[in-house]
Amino acid sequence: MSTIFLAVGLVLVVEGLAYALAPSFIRRMAEELPKLADEYLRIFGVAALAVGVGLVYLAQHL
């Protein structure tokens, strides 16, 4: 259970940094997001998922 809390906390740290350091970039990205096709969003989501799983695997085995 502590690993889940750690993971959620790290996600919130990264999200918070993005909003704190580049709020105008986040706003522009949010405006462009509806213009993207579902296929591109799905590909990006799968790629992000794969990278996340890889990072978790590395963190557990190093």
Side-chain angles (χ1 to χ4, degrees):
M1 191 65 161
S2 64
T3 305
I4 291 173
F5 286 135
L6 177 63
V8 171
L10 289 173
V11 167
L12 291 174
V13 166
V14 171
E15 288 283 333
L17 278 173
Y19 284 104
L21 297 177
S24 61
F25 176 74
I26 298 294
R27 184 172 286 121
R28 282 195 316 266
M29 289 298 293
E31 291 171 354
E32 294 296 321
L33 198 58
K35 300 175 186 175
L36 293 175
D38 288 347
E39 294 81 25
Y40 291 120
L41 292 174
R42 190 168 288 115
I43 290 169
F44 179 75
V46 170
L49 177 67
V51 169
V53 168
L55 288 173
V56 169
Y57 178 81
L58 283 175
Q60 292 293 319
H61 290 90
L62 289 179

